[in-house]
Amino acid sequence: MRIMISADMEGATGVTWTDDVVPGTEQWQRFRRLFTGDVNAVVRGLHDGGASDVLVNEAHSSQRNLLLEELDERARLLTGRHKPLSMMQGIDSGVDGVVFLGYHAGAGVDGVLSHTYLENQITGVWLDGEPAGEGRLNAALAAEHGVPVLLVSGDDRTCADAASYAPGAELVAVKECVSRYAAICLPPARTAEMLTAAARASMDRAVRTPATAAAHRIEVEFDATHLAQAAAVVPTVEQTGVRRVGFEAATMTEAMKAFKVVTAIAAGAVQGKYG
């Protein structure tokens, strides 16, 4: 049984504010260890449940956050940029299940460090008309490859969202959202026990099904008009409102690649303090 972990950092144990996840800060150095601890707890549970191979794909920012020297020796680490499928690189490699570890709520809703791809320029994303954070987008991509979502961890808002796009998945709330920058957190010893137990139980759902591709539509709303104008330069992307764009793609894989381009163009159009 081969399992993939898509490991983001905002939803890791103890993380509550910007410096916890921004590479190079003192706090980031501290939380790299807690983040790695969460991953190890899940790797341990997956192997206890029968996994023979676990691929950990770094999914946060520089994608160079986990401490390889402290990683469970049974895991393999996919680290660094740039990857065609970004957070989901490896989903097309024949894995039997995927774990969304350290995930967070999407742009425009309450949650610790909530956002979708860009930290603060996107105010909403919709997939086929449904509000979509990174979890829903990535789950749709996993489904296209016949890969079930086994477990989702993050704050309580993340878990509530996951219940709608990954019914049946194990959910582990390592903290309770108080505000965007505050949470009631559980100590690493407790979250490790929860993550390991959930990962072990989740292996009962690790059954890959035949891949099925379908067309999808993604819409993105920004916090400024010029970002929508910049993104609309991308072929197939149309501006549907003063701050909104939309596009369609024949498959979810193509849709996510296009979404990656749209967010990169928008990020490049941000100008200093005025955005």
Side-chain angles (χ1 to χ4, degrees), residues 52-63:
S52 57
D53 178 77
V54 178
L55 173 66
V56 181
N57 177 30
E58 285 222 39
H60 174 69
S61 186
S62 65
Q63 298 171 13

Side-chain angles (χ1 to χ4, degrees), residues 219-244:
E219 296 181 71
V220 185
E221 186 178 79
F222 298 99
D223 65 358
T225 59
H226 71 286
L227 301 184
Q229 294 164 0
V233 172
V234 178
T236 76
V237 176
E238 59 176 343
Q239 187 169 355
T240 59
V242 292
R243 294 183 290 108
R244 192 161 174 157

Side-chain angles (χ1 to χ4, degrees), residues 133-145:
E134 293 168 12
R136 185 178 295 275
L137 293 171
N138 291 342
L141 182 55
E144 180 166 282
H145 293 277

